[in-house]
């Protein structure tokens, strides 16, 4: 037998010990014995266990340090049949609470039937001293789950899929995984799994699916459309969709058009009669259309009574609080009191929080129930601290629940049938809201509820699809008040001054000695990375007294490259939380997760349980962790395969090792991920930035994340180009036009 021109040999025996294993890719080093002979085997053998009988195909090699080894290309294995090996297998640690002594007693009682008993009749284990019914059932479940995952690892290996996806496929399809893959390998593109079209296509070709198959071509179209949503579009132009699908598949355009028509006829995609060039996924079309109609309906509501005597009230408010409201701020307050929907927009230091506080006080004095919210946990926490009023995330406001009949599918329990008990809703950081969440919020509002959207229209748009705030502003259909005055308390801050300079196309002014805004020129990525580490580890802490883990956040435009998130996190983790004896860590997907690591949740998980203990000792429990939430790993339990994260708002969550792809390090994060957050200090590397990311509002967003200090490190030319470039990547959205089409102008 041969493999890639090599003659393959065969080795059989019993696995005596696991020397090393990388759980992220299944690479394993183990000792195998065949009688008196002992061999060292190396290769991809995921979830290999001591006691197993294996037959491996491969070749003999010589390692310069470790000597003669057998490199495994294929591996068949069987569960142990001898009592000694069954005992070794059971006590290897994969079943919580089942140690060597318990394993020995189980094997002594059941012998070769041990595995069948544990898996199919676990309650028979209660005949052994020390095993309660609860323990017996837990042992049975753990054993079954382990065996299922072993089977899944072998399955993905069979189809040439990275073992990183095994747990996701197991969770999605369970025992029917192989059947599902054979019937439709493109199902592995499902967001819950996340394989690319090309990977699924490779499997499809192995299974004999024809390149011109309509089934394949529809999958390609859907893949392109779904990825457009990930890039922020609510719809995608038909011509671009067809062109990209054709490029993916390599078939004539006519075949792609036929597949497109088939998707349309089966209602898998939506195309409007008046806009035949726009292709939507149904739920985004419905969300966009609903937002336009509902915003228009809410805007019709006008009640001017709250504005009666406003001038006198504002004078008293200024005197009582020792503040000054300019005419724009007063106009914003008056507009919000008279209108059904109002947008208040302005840059840093323009008094948005002051307006929010005044509005809440007026509403409360008139007995109007008001709710304050923001798109992210950090943003909600910040507005709570600055305003003095409780704010919730939009997700928590809408109360996530689960439909047991729909595989525990999450939904918002606050909706048209169960609306929020609020007469006015104020949303801060409204530039971050996407079309789906906006639609959900509007569905939960009673007729006549006021909606006040507060945000900075010059920030980056939402991570999710759409550009809701800018579309509303540009439509002219909703009252908008723009704040442009920087108040005295902000004039001394060069962060605020430079934010406004950048927004007007002017280069920032840098401090030389004392100040809060600095630039360090560096030309190469390597020099830039060294400078970032030096700033975070020594210069900023020593000169300004800030602590890296508590106060300093590195923000970068991109993910890849030396100054991208991935590399910076590796370098900064090594600097601030290196491996050491006694500090447990779990390596998954090539990433080491250690106690003390700063991490971020990178997807919405409505089912993730959390608990929170307030300063008074009251325990609160709930569900839901969201994209962008950051915290610290407080505990890594290798035995039970879990780690614990304490989030910035003091929620505590447990993650199984199979779900670690929901987390990534957050020593450095992208500018996009920083939206809605605020940090005492921001360090921004700018070198070798891809042209698609060299634009003004990305730089503007980055520097406005800092409260007290900004340090930019990098290429002056890139900085200059970012200031000058207002042509960010186009985002396809139809909300502005839909609002205009409603035909109701204030």
């Amino acid at each position: 037998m041969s493999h890639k021109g090599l003659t393959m040999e065969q080795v059989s025996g019993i696995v005596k010990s696991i020397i090393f294993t990388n759980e992220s890719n299944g690479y394993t080093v183990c000792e195998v014995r065949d009688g008196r002979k002992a061999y060292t085997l190396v290769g991809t053998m995921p979830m290999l266990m001591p006691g197993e009988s294996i037959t491996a195909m491969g070749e003999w090699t010589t390692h310069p340090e470790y000597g003669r080894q057998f490199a495994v290309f294929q591996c068949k294995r069987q569960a142990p049949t001898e009592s000694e090996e069954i005992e070794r297998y059971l006590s290897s640690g994969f079943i919580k609470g089942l140690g060597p002594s318990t394993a020995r007693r189980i094997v002594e009682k059941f012998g070769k039937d041990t595995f069948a008993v544990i898996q199919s009749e676990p309650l028979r284990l209660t005949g052994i001293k020390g095993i309660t019914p609860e323990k017996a059932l837990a042992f049975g479940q753990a054993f079954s789950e382990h065996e299922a995952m072993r089977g899944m690892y072998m399955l993905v290996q069979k189809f040439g899929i990275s073992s990183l996806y095994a747990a996701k496929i197991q969770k999605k399809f369970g025992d029917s995984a192989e059947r599902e893959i054979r019937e439709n390998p493109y199902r592995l593109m499902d967001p819950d799994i996340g394989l690319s079209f090309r990977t699924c296509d490779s499997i499809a070709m192995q299974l004999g699916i024809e390149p011109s198959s309509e089934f394949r071509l529809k999958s390609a179209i859907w893949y392109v459309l779904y990825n457009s949503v990930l890039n922020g579009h609510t719809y995608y132009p038909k011509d671009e969709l067809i062109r990209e699908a054709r490029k993916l598949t390599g078939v004539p355009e006519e075949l792609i058009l036929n597949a497109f028509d088939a998707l349309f006829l089966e209602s898998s995609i939506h195309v409007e009669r008046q806009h035949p060039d726009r292709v939507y996924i149904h739920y985004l079309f419905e969300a966009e259309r609903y937002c336009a109609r509902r915003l228009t309906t809410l805007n019709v509501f006008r009640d001017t009574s709250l504005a009666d005597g406003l001038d006198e009230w504002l004078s008293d408010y200024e005197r009582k609080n020792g503040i000054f409201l300019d005419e724009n701020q007063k106009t914003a307050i008056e507009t919000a009191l008279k209108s059904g929907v109002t947008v208040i927009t302005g840059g840093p230091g323009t008094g948005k929080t002051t307006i929010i506080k005044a509005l809440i006080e007026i509403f409360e004095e008139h007995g109007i129930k008001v709710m304050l919210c923001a798109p992210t946990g950090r943003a909600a926490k910040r507005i709570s601290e600055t305003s003095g009023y409780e704010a919730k995330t939009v997700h928590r406001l809408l109360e996530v629940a689960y439909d047991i009949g729909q595989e525990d599918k999450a939904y918002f329990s606050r909706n048209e049938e169960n609306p929020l008990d609020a007469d006015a809703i104020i949303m801060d950081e409204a530039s971050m809201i996407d079309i789906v969440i906006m639609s959900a919020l509007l569905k939960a509002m009673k007729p006549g509820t006021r909606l006040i959207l507060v945000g900075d229209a010059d920030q980056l748009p939402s991570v999710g699809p759409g550009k809701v705030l800018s579309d509303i502003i540009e439509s002219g259909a909703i009252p908008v008040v723009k704040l442009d005055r920087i108040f005295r308390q902000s004039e001394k801050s060069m962060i605020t001054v430079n934010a406004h300079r950048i927004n007007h196309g002017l280069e920032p002014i840098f401090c030389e000695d004392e100040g809060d805004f600095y630039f360090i020129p560096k030309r190469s990525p390597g020099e830039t990375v060294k400078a970032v580490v030096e700033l975070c580890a020594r210069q900023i802490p020593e000169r300004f007294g800030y602590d890296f883990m508590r106060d300093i956040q590195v923000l970068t435009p991109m993910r890849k490259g030396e100054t991208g998130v991935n590399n910076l996190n590796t370098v900064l983790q090594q600097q601030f939380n290196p491996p050491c004896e006694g500090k447990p860590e779990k390596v998954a997907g090539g990433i080491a997760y250690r106690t003390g690591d700063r991490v971020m949740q990178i997807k919405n998980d409505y089912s993730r349980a959390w608990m929170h203990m307030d300063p008074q000792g009251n325990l609160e429990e709930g569900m839901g962790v969201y994209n962008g939430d950051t915290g610290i790993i407080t505990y890594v339990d290798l035995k039970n395969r879990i780690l614990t994260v304490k989030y910035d708002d003091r929620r505590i969550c447990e993650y199984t090792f199979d779900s670690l792809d929901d987390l990534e390090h957050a020593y450095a994060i992208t500018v996009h991920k920083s939206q809605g957050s605020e940090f005492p200090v921001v360090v921004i590397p700018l070198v070798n930035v891809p042209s698609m990311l060299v634009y003004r509002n990305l730089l503007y967003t980055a520097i406005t994340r800092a409260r007290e200090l900004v340090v930019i490190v990098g290429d002056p030319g890139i900085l200059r180009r970012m200031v000058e470039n207002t042509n960010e990547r186009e985002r396809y959205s139809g909300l502005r036009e839909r609002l205009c089409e409603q035909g109701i102008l204030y």
Side-chain angles (χ1 to χ4, degrees):
M1 187 176 181
S2 65
H3 180 85
K4 296 181 179 179
L6 300 173
T7 301
M8 294 179 68
E9 298 183 59
Q10 179 175 298
V11 167
S12 300
I14 305 294
V15 179
K16 292 297 180 182
S17 65
I18 305 296
I19 301 168
F20 169 81
T21 186
N22 183 336
E23 293 187 28
S24 65
N25 59 19
Y27 182 82
T28 301
V29 181
C30 66
E31 182 188 5
V32 171
R33 285 191 175 271
D34 180 11
R36 294 184 178 181
K37 298 178 182 177
Y39 314 110
T40 299
L41 273 61
V42 300
T44 303
M45 298 173 282
M47 296 186 74
L48 195 66
M49 305 294 291
E52 285 188 277
S53 176
I54 70 169
T55 299
M57 305 298 296
E59 63 167 344
W60 288 103
T61 62
T62 302
H63 191 278
E65 184 175 351
Y66 301 112
R68 196 164 185 252
Q69 300 176 334
F70 190 78
V72 177
F73 293 123
Q74 292 179 351
C75 178
K76 295 180 180 179
R77 41 194 174 178
Q78 294 179 329
T81 56
E82 300 298 323
S83 295
E84 182 183 345
E85 304 306 338
I86 294 173
E87 186 180 320
R88 188 192 302 269
Y89 184 89
L90 281 182
S91 60
S92 58
F94 72 91
I95 298 178
K96 182 181 177 182
L98 205 164
S101 61
T102 304
R104 185 172 59 254
R105 291 198 298 272
I106 293 173
V107 175
E108 284 174 355
K109 185 172 180 65
F110 298 109
K112 295 181 180 181
D113 296 328
T114 294
F115 293 155
V117 170
I118 296 175
Q119 190 162 16
S120 304
E121 302 175 278
L123 288 174
R124 289 180 63 187
L125 298 175
T126 57
I128 297 170
K129 186 179 178 182
I131 301 181
T132 63
E134 292 77 17
K135 270 190 178 182
L137 291 171
F139 289 170
Q141 183 178 351
F143 183 87
S144 296
E145 289 175 353
H146 182 265
E147 293 303 296
M149 275 306 303
R150 274 167 42 88
M152 186 56 62
Y153 271 110
M154 301 307 293
L155 179 66
V156 300
Q157 203 174 9
K158 179 179 175 181
F159 285 112
I161 305 168
S162 168
S163 58
L164 293 171
Y165 294 96
K168 295 180 180 180
I169 297 172
Q170 173 66 26
K171 184 178 180 181
K172 183 76 176 176
F173 301 124
D175 294 340
S176 63
E178 183 163 6
R179 187 185 74 245
E180 294 284 352
I181 293 172
R182 288 189 176 279
E183 288 179 356
N184 181 2
Y186 299 101
R187 287 202 66 186
L188 299 175
M189 296 188 311
D190 186 287
D192 292 337
I193 300 170
L195 286 180
S196 70
F197 175 83
R198 294 201 182 281
T199 300
C200 297
D201 207 37
S202 174
I203 299 168
M205 296 300 104
Q206 294 175 48
L207 296 172
I209 294 175
E210 292 293 325
S212 59
S213 159
E214 186 181 88
F215 176 70
R216 174 179 182 251
L217 305 184
K218 289 195 295 187
S219 297
I221 293 169
W222 183 260
Y223 180 75
V224 173
L225 188 57
Y226 178 75
N227 274 295
S228 77
V229 175
L230 297 182
N231 288 322
H233 307 298
T234 59
Y235 72 84
Y236 209 49
K238 182 178 178 180
D239 288 347
E240 290 187 43
L241 179 63
I242 298 301
R243 184 171 59 253
E244 290 184 34
R246 186 185 175 190
K247 187 178 178 181
L248 266 182
T249 58
V251 302
E253 183 176 304
E254 183 182 355
L255 294 179
I256 296 292
L257 288 170
N258 290 340
F260 179 91
D261 291 342
L263 283 170
F264 177 68
L265 290 170
E266 65 191 38
S267 299
S268 295
I269 57 177
H270 185 86
V271 181
E272 286 182 280
R273 184 176 299 173
Q274 61 268 43
H275 297 293
D277 58 324
R278 300 179 181 181
V279 185
Y280 285 87
I281 298 176
H282 267 283
Y283 79 93
L284 289 175
F285 168 72
E286 294 296 340
E288 197 175 88
R289 185 170 66 169
Y290 183 87
C291 283
R293 291 177 176 176
R294 191 82 169 98
L295 284 167
T296 301
T297 303
L298 289 169
N299 192 43
V300 171
F301 171 74
R302 310 269 175 144
D303 179 5
T304 62
S305 62
L306 289 183
D308 295 343
L310 183 61
D311 289 343
E312 185 179 347
W313 189 94
L314 289 175
S315 296
D316 290 341
Y317 184 80
E318 287 176 312
R319 189 167 50 255
K320 183 172 63 178
N321 292 279
I323 61 171
F324 169 77
L325 298 169
D326 75 351
E327 288 306 309
N328 255 4
Q329 286 179 305
K330 291 178 180 178
T331 300
I333 294 168
E334 184 178 9
T335 304
L337 295 177
K338 289 181 176 181
S339 308
V341 182
T342 306
V343 174
I344 301 169
T345 180
T350 54
K352 297 189 295 294
T353 303
T354 301
I355 292 171
I356 290 173
K357 291 169 72 174
L359 283 170
I360 292 173
E361 194 161 319
I362 293 172
F363 286 142
E364 288 186 337
E365 284 187 12
H366 286 81
I368 290 174
K369 293 180 181 177
V370 59
M371 289 182 174
L372 183 60
C373 66
T376 67
R378 275 187 173 268
K381 182 182 178 187
R382 185 165 61 83
I383 192 61
S384 290
E385 292 170 350
T386 54
S387 71
Y389 294 90
E390 182 191 11
K392 294 182 178 179
T393 64
V394 180
H395 293 87
R396 292 189 70 183
L397 192 72
L398 297 177
E399 299 175 15
V400 176
Y402 299 89
D403 188 340
I404 298 175
Q406 296 286 324
E407 298 181 345
D408 287 340
K409 185 179 179 182
Y411 68 95
F412 294 120
S413 61
R414 294 291 185 175
N415 48 42
E416 290 164 310
E417 288 72 41
N418 182 31
L420 293 164
D421 185 20
D423 304 308
I425 293 174
I426 302 173
M427 179 191 290
D428 195 29
E429 294 286 356
S431 63
M432 298 179 64
I433 198 76
D434 66 46
I435 195 72
V436 177
I437 300 301
M438 187 66 180
S439 173
L441 177 65
L442 291 170
K443 285 178 181 176
M445 292 174 59
K446 299 182 297 186
T449 303
R450 288 179 172 83
L451 177 63
I452 300 109
L453 301 173
V454 183
D456 187 345
D458 296 313
Q459 299 271 1
L460 291 168
S462 60
V463 175
K467 44 178 183 169
V468 173
L469 186 64
S470 62
D471 274 352
I472 292 173
I473 293 170
E474 291 169 13
S475 73
I478 301 295
V480 178
V481 181
K482 296 182 180 179
L483 308 174
D484 51 17
R485 175 177 177 177
I486 305 174
F487 284 83
R488 287 189 296 272
Q489 60 265 34
S490 300
E491 288 174 350
K492 295 178 181 178
S493 169
M494 292 307 296
I495 298 173
T496 303
V497 170
N498 282 329
H500 289 270
R501 286 182 62 85
I502 289 168
N503 219 9
H504 289 90
L506 302 172
E507 289 191 40
I509 300 168
F510 299 109
C511 305
E512 293 184 3
D513 296 313
E514 299 298 317
D516 60 5
F517 204 102
Y518 297 87
F519 182 81
I520 301 172
K522 298 290 179 184
R523 295 287 183 180
S524 75
E527 289 178 341
T528 303
V529 171
K530 287 180 183 177
V532 168
V533 173
E534 180 68 18
L535 281 163
C536 294
R538 282 171 284 278
Q539 293 180 357
I540 294 174
E542 289 174 6
R543 180 172 176 181
F544 299 98
Y546 293 107
D547 175 76
F548 174 75
M549 294 296 289
R550 186 180 63 246
D551 303 317
I552 304 172
Q553 182 64 62
V554 178
L555 299 182
T556 179
M558 61 271 194
R559 297 196 63 83
K560 298 180 180 179
E562 281 192 69
T563 56
V565 162
N566 298 337
N567 184 60
L568 282 170
N569 271 320
T570 300
V571 173
L572 291 167
Q573 183 195 36
Q574 183 61 34
Q575 175 68 40
F576 292 100
N577 194 28
C580 67
E581 191 174 347
K583 180 182 289 184
E585 67 174 51
K586 167 63 182 173
V587 179
I591 299 173
Y593 297 90
R594 301 185 189 114
T595 303
D597 274 338
R598 184 194 288 175
V599 292
M600 172 184 285
Q601 174 79 15
I602 59 171
K603 62 179 75 170
N604 290 334
D605 185 348
Y606 301 105
S607 62
R608 178 81 54 198
W610 54 262
M611 57 180 289
H612 173 270
M613 187 78 72
D614 67 20
Q616 288 73 43
N618 300 312
L619 181 66
E620 180 187 4
E621 295 180 305
M623 303 187 80
V625 185
Y626 306 110
N627 188 359
D629 287 353
T630 57
I632 301 292
I633 296 176
T634 56
Y635 186 59
V636 178
D637 185 343
L638 296 174
K639 183 178 179 181
N640 295 313
R641 298 175 57 80
I642 58 172
L643 62 77
T644 303
V645 177
K646 185 177 184 180
Y647 283 100
D648 293 344
D649 58 4
R650 306 183 74 82
R651 287 174 301 154
I652 297 172
C653 294
E654 281 190 352
Y655 290 78
T656 65
F657 286 175
D658 290 337
S659 61
L660 293 184
D661 57 348
D662 287 357
L663 295 173
E664 66 180 30
H665 288 142
Y667 299 101
I669 61 176
T670 63
V671 178
H672 285 82
K673 287 286 190 183
S674 74
Q675 289 174 261
S677 299
E678 198 174 69
F679 313 95
V681 181
V682 163
V683 177
I684 308 168
L686 290 180
V687 68
N688 282 11
V689 181
S691 57
M692 67 179 68
L693 296 174
V694 179
Y695 53 87
R696 183 184 296 170
N697 69 349
L698 189 144
L699 177 62
Y700 174 80
T701 300
I703 69 170
T704 55
R705 300 307 88 205
R707 263 194 328 266
E708 300 166 19
L709 178 65
V710 169
V711 184
I712 301 174
V713 187
D715 187 339
I718 288 178
L719 178 68
R720 188 162 49 252
R721 283 164 50 206
M722 293 183 85
V723 172
E724 294 170 353
N725 184 20
T726 59
N727 298 319
E728 63 181 287
R729 186 169 57 186
E730 184 180 5
R731 182 173 279 207
Y732 299 115
S733 165
L735 180 61
R736 180 184 64 81
E737 290 171 82
R738 294 187 193 281
L739 284 166
C740 293
E741 288 167 2
Q742 296 298 314
I744 300 178
L745 301 177
Y746 71 95

